[in-house]
Amino acid sequence: MAVDYLVIVFYMAAMLAMGWWGMRRAKSKSEFLVAGRRLGPTMYSGTMAAIVLGGASTIGGVGLGYKHGLSGAWMVFAIGLGLLALSIFFSARIARLKVYTVSEMLDLRYGGRAGIISGVVMWAYTLMLAVTSTIAYATIFDVLFDMNRTLAIILGGSVVVAYSTLGGMWSITLTDMVQFVVKTIGVLLLLLPIAVVKAGGFSEMKAQLPTGYFDPLGIGGETIFTYVLIYTFGMLIGQDIWQRVFTARSDSTAKWGGTVAGTYCLAYALAGAVIGTAAKVLYPDLGSADDAFATIVKNELPMGVRGLVLAAALAAVMSTSSGALIACATVANNDIWARLRGLTTAPGTDRDEVRGNRVFILLMGLAVIGTAIALNNVVEALTVAYNLLVGGLLVPILGGLLWKRGTAQGALAAVTVGGLAVIGLMATYGILANEPILYGLLSSLAVYVVVSLATRPTDEAVLAAWRERLAGRSPEPVSEEVPVSQ
């Protein structure tokens, strides 16, 4: 195990070193929050894939494969489909807006009256997403070090908070690129073939398991529909995902780089399901399906390789955790605190924006670690996050992009009614039920259409400015100017 320990320690030290290096580059708000909007296709694809494929996609994806077989790939597959849809249909327009948050996009589209409420909903989503990723540290460190759950969360969370606070998006981009490479090698190139060979190959797996394990739809049509509704649509509107789109240096980078990342997600989904299926052959009586990843890594991989694969799992968790953390801090500072402060602070007051965002990352990081220690159920926390996001914000965001007649009043009504409906229905039917997201989304859509049609159309000057931003013809704000890349 000594070699495995050295691999993990070296990996975490490298993450901190990259955070320090990123701090030297993050000299402006644009550099700190969106890496200067200048990532090329290779880094953009790698970091986008890294953020969407976190602990839930890795440990949870293998667990679903253990429980359902190949159809367990559908959760991560839905994430890949959402990323493909975002990249092909919306990413170029989103990148041209030159904003920092989803709420700023809503303000541009609807005339500056939809931001703070949507900001609160988005903040709740990104906070819970960061929490669920942080909880996963306990599983990884328990396998490697037999470490206490609270200590594991503090250790893993502190590393992410440290490098994210130091260098912002530059640090996160660099670490995510390393994490993408590590989990590609660890999961796709090492764990996948080793697991299949240890299980006796596909022929032996088919002989040992029920035929339902190899049915692509075995998990059930209703479950697949729910995954698509929550995760595919969630990929279209999440602040953590949009903030990565904002880092692209061109329309084509956002579109084609994201398409490559989405395709990678589909392959990763299948790999996780196959690994889980192999684990079912090797360990048919595990107490929890989510233990499948840790068990097969701990018992079937040779020394050194085991450390690298655990580093891959750690990379998956860290990439999602850091992306959600900077998204949470960006929303808290720019969409909520700045607006509240604006009520009492004179416009134009000088303030250090990089320092302010750095402070908010630290504060949100501490809140995430504390909440992760207090919570146990990762699935429920993640479901609450996505239900609030999709139920409250999907309609006004896509409506703003696709329907000219949508109004600020309609958007505010959709956010409020959809969000409250989801909360009420989760209390009635249960957090994991399908009804909250389905009926919450339908109520949000109905209210958006009715209220928009019943109120005065959005001012033509607002729409004209919106169209200019969508077309990329508006000048870059002075505060966002960055040096030309070498």
Side-chain angles (χ1 to χ4, degrees):
M1 290 292 287
V3 175
D4 298 327
Y5 295 159
L6 287 174
V7 170
I8 297 296
V9 171
F10 175 79
Y11 172 77
M12 296 185 73
M15 296 299 100
L16 291 173
M18 289 182 186
W20 183 262
W21 186 88
M23 181 177 68
R24 301 178 64 182
R25 297 200 65 167
K27 301 299 185 182
S28 69
K29 180 180 179 181
S30 177
E31 293 278 3
F32 190 81
L33 294 182
V34 290
R37 306 189 195 276
R38 51 178 174 170
L39 295 191
T42 300
M43 291 196 73
Y44 180 85
S45 297
T47 57
M48 181 62 87
I51 188 176
V52 300
L53 295 174
S57 300
T58 303
I59 298 171
V62 171
L64 287 171
Y66 182 89
K67 188 174 182 179
H68 300 286
L70 297 186
S71 64
W74 271 104
M75 183 187 78
V76 184
F77 203 81
I79 292 172
L81 291 177
L83 186 52
L84 285 171
L86 174 71
S87 301
I88 294 170
F89 299 112
F90 299 108
S91 61
R93 284 185 285 176
I94 292 170
R96 286 195 294 263
L97 290 174
K98 296 291 188 290
V99 295
Y100 292 103
T101 68
V102 174
S103 294
E104 288 180 28
M105 167 264 168
L106 292 173
D107 278 350
L108 282 172
R109 168 59 181 83
Y110 295 111
R113 288 173 288 176
I116 193 165
I117 296 178
S118 63
V120 171
V121 174
M122 189 64 76
W123 173 80
Y125 156 72
T126 52
L127 178 71
M128 294 308 295
L129 185 62
V131 166
T132 58
S133 300
T134 303
I135 290 173
Y137 294 125
T139 300
I140 300 168
F141 285 111
D142 177 59
V143 173
L144 191 60
F145 302 113
D146 193 25
M147 186 179 291
N148 173 270
R149 177 182 182 276
T150 298
L151 182 59
I153 289 172
I154 292 174
L155 177 60
S158 296
V159 172
V160 170
V161 172
Y163 73 69
S164 301
T165 302
L166 286 172
M169 187 59 82
W170 267 122
S171 294
I172 292 170
T173 296
L174 293 170
T175 54
D176 277 1
M177 198 62 201
V178 174
Q179 288 158 0
F180 169 74
V181 172
V182 168
K183 64 188 176 186
T184 298
I185 295 172
V187 175
L188 295 183
L189 301 183
L190 292 176
L191 182 57
L192 174 60
I194 290 173
V196 172
V197 169
K198 291 283 188 177
F202 285 104
S203 58
E204 182 65 19
M205 290 163 63
K206 287 184 177 180
Q208 292 286 334
L209 297 172
T211 56
Y213 265 74
F214 301 92
D215 179 359
L217 304 179
I219 199 170
E222 185 177 351
T223 300
I224 294 172
F225 175 76
T226 301
Y227 284 155
V228 171
L229 197 62
I230 294 177
Y231 296 112
T232 300
F233 286 131
M235 288 295 106
L236 298 180
I237 58 175
Q239 169 68 25
D240 52 322
I241 309 302
W242 278 40
Q243 199 156 344
R244 292 311 172 98
V245 175
F246 299 151
T247 66
R249 71 183 179 197
S250 67
D251 295 357
S252 60
T253 295
K255 183 175 182 178
W256 299 113
T259 301
V260 170
T263 304
Y264 177 90
C265 291
L266 303 184
Y268 199 88
L270 184 59
V274 171
I275 293 167
T277 304
K280 183 67 175 179
V281 173
L282 295 167
Y283 308 97
D285 300 314
L286 290 179
S288 170
D290 285 339
D291 292 336
F293 180 89
T295 302
I296 197 169
V297 169
K298 187 174 184 179
N299 296 328
E300 301 298 333
L301 299 184
M303 183 175 60
V305 174
R306 180 171 52 226
L308 183 59
V309 173
L310 286 172
L314 191 61
V317 175
M318 282 186 163
S319 57
T320 299
S321 181
S322 59
L325 175 59
I326 193 171
C328 179
T330 302
V331 170
N333 188 22
N334 293 272
D335 291 338
I336 300 175
W337 174 244
R339 294 167 193 268
L340 295 175
R341 188 180 182 186
L343 297 176
T344 57
T345 304
T349 299
D350 184 39
R351 59 194 181 103
D352 186 341
E353 291 186 291
V354 173
R355 180 177 178 275
N357 282 290
R358 186 171 279 138
V359 168
F360 264 86
I361 290 179
L362 178 59
L363 293 175
M364 292 300 104
L366 295 175
V368 164
I369 292 172
T371 307
I373 292 171
L375 291 180
N376 286 312
N377 197 313
V378 178
V379 175
E380 289 194 357
L382 190 64
T383 302
V384 169
Y386 273 96
N387 280 354
L388 284 172
L389 175 70
V390 176
L393 291 178
L394 179 68
V395 169
I397 291 172
L398 293 189
L401 288 169
L402 300 173
W403 191 39
K404 177 182 176 181
R405 188 60 180 82
T407 66
Q409 293 86 348
L412 287 170
V415 173
T416 304
V417 171
L420 291 176
V422 164
I423 293 171
L425 290 166
M426 283 193 294
T428 302
Y429 290 98
I431 290 175
L432 300 179
N434 294 327
E435 288 84 356
I437 184 60
L438 179 59
Y439 296 139
L441 192 56
L442 290 175
S443 65
S444 178
L445 176 60
V447 169
Y448 179 72
V449 172
V450 170
V451 174
S452 291
L453 292 175
T455 52
R456 180 181 299 176
T458 304
D459 187 88
E460 186 56 39
V462 172
L463 290 177
W466 166 253
R467 287 191 292 269
E468 288 293 303
R469 291 294 284 265
L470 276 180
R473 290 191 291 264
S474 293
E476 183 86 1
V478 173
S479 62
E480 296 179 8
E481 290 181 353
V482 294
V484 177
S485 58
Q486 300 299 315

